[in-house]
Amino acid sequence: AGGEEETETSLPAPMFSRNTISVFSILKKCIGQELSKITMPIVFNEPLSFLQRITEYMEHTYLINRACSLSDSTERMQAVAAFAVSAVASQWERTGKPFNPLLGETYELIREEQGFRLVSEQVSHHPPVSAFHAESLVGDFVFHGSIYPKLKFWGKSVEAEPKGTITLELLKHNETYTWTNPTCCVHNIILGKLWIEQYGTVEILNHSTGDKCVLNFKPCGMFGKELHTVEGYIQDKSKKKLCVIYGKWTECMWSVDPQVYESQKKSEKKGDVHFDRNKPEVDRAVNDDADDMPDVQETVSVVPGSTLLWRIDPRPAHSSTMYNFTNFAMSLNELEPGMEGILAPTDCRFRPDIKAMENGNMDEASQEKERLEEKQRAARKERAKSNQEWSTRWFQSGTNPYTGSQDWIYSGGYFNRNYRNLPDIY
Ligand SMILES: *[C@@H]1O[C@H](CO)[C@@H](O)[C@H](O)[C@H]1NC(C)=O
Ligand SMILES: *[C@@H]1O[C@H](CO)[C@@H](O)[C@H](O)[C@H]1NC(C)=O
Ligand SMILES: *[C@@H]1O[C@H](CO)[C@@H](O)[C@H](O)[C@H]1NC(C)=O
């Protein structure tokens, strides 16, 4: 599995047009509620499970490898910060909803050329919780977490708050970093053009010292000046700013000396008008018009003396007819010859609804999705009848040793490939 072979960079079929479907009637009744119980037409999905969407964090694993190789601790933190931003960059223009994983569903990915392997499992259905564990193939790092996406419908937009801690351990440096992803918002779900915004403060903590990196994903604000902007700094334990980090999560991230940055900003500010950029989402939901994406140039103005930390890879040419997937995303359903006999039978790649959608068979996808959900409900009823508890297979509920928060910890053994007694979920 994985290996050096060329990975798939195209899907079997382009996506189905959504233009003819009105969601208004479905969503009108649900303002302010959690979305997890509302059934949306499958045409709003993308042919990936949420477990695969999480795996996209690994697209820029080279940044973790870079962090491992650096001897300067501030430079390591810079690489980790760039990784944390790059991990959410694949969300850009991805308005398709991933499939909700079924309880017990798993996903694995081995990438020898990027030097990691990953396993994930859907460990809870209500509330939905996805746990993942990735490790370096040469023992340099471990990267793990559990994500509880909390969805809120705000009339014109859907907000996904990714609750749950992400932990990165750089083993040779004895360093552990933890953070939580920013909130992701999809605008204009009823009318107008769909677009994506991410906002919130991401704090990356170095648990060996208490030093931290604070990254502010800015809301675009009324005039859109700050659309996609990320700005922050790294400070040591005495709160001294060591460097400023800035850029756009859709484009690139830079670091620069704090004094250089401040003096640049001061000279730019002269003549600038002040306005409130932190207008909350709820306010925007009151009128009926679409909230159009502000028309701004997608470029970061680089402060002289800055160092480039990360730049996004261009999407493939056919991306726009394929759910705006990156090359990495396009490869996630790939079943290489020989893999079928090796993978756990619970792997997302065997989900018939996702496969049908990927092949462009929307009716089949919709029927299969319904069938799987019904099968899951029936299995739950059976367990309730016989007083059986669901037991997770590869992860155990526990406490994150660094943050003290509730987390799911990998119990090991997945890659021994003993897949007897796995539940029949498809
Ligand atoms: C993180 O913690 C390590 C281990 O104590 C320390 O050597 C390093 O200076 C810290 N680095 C940063 C950037 O916080
Ligand atoms: C892909 O991006 C384009 C350009 O922004 C956008 O119009 C379209 O709705 C996006 N498609 C999906 C499936 O998110
Ligand atoms: C890492 O921590 C362990 C246990 O605290 C210690 O034995 C080891 O010497 C440390 N290694 C480094 C490189 O600091």
Side-chain angles (χ1 to χ4, degrees), residues 379-426:
R380 185 168 56 238
K381 273 190 201 138
E382 274 308 305
R383 285 197 302 276
K385 240 193 259 165
S386 52
N387 261 328
Q388 265 180 300
E389 287 278 338
W390 174 264
S391 51
T392 54
R393 180 63 189 264
W394 310 109
F395 291 81
Q396 278 176 337
S397 176
T399 307
N400 184 301
Y402 306 102
T403 61
S405 57
Q406 140 80 51
D407 205 345
W408 287 83
I409 315 292
Y410 180 49
S411 5
Y414 174 88
F415 291 100
N416 296 339
R417 305 214 177 273
N418 172 5
Y419 301 140
R420 272 173 295 150
N421 304 324
L422 283 181
D424 168 25
I425 54 173
Y426 305 144

Side-chain angles (χ1 to χ4, degrees), residues 171-174:
L171 303 173
K172 287 183 185 147
H173 297 284
N174 266 1

Side-chain angles (χ1 to χ4, degrees), residues 15 18 93-96 193-194 293 319-320 322-324:
M15 63 181 285
R18 293 175 186 162
E93 293 182 335
R94 292 274 292 281
T95 58
K193 192 171 170 324
L194 293 165
M293 181 166 83
S319 174
S320 64
M322 293 184 172
Y323 314 92
N324 293 335

Side-chain angles (χ1 to χ4, degrees), residues 126-141:
H126 279 306
V129 182
S130 312
F132 70 92
H133 175 93
E135 58 196 21
S136 152
L137 294 174
V138 292
D140 277 350
F141 68 84

Side-chain angles (χ1 to χ4, degrees), residues 15 26 30 48 56 59 102 104 108-109 155 165 167 188 217 224-225 228 240 282 292 300 304 317 352 362 364 370 382:
M15 63 181 285
I26 307 163
C30 318
L48 287 180
E56 292 186 53
E59 182 176 350
L102 300 160
E108 69 162 76
L109 190 69
T165 306
T167 304
N188 294 340
F217 284 69
K225 242 190 126 179
H228 302 153
K240 179 173 178 282
V282 204
D292 287 333
V300 172
M362 300 306 281
E364 186 190 340
E370 245 166 70
E382 274 308 305

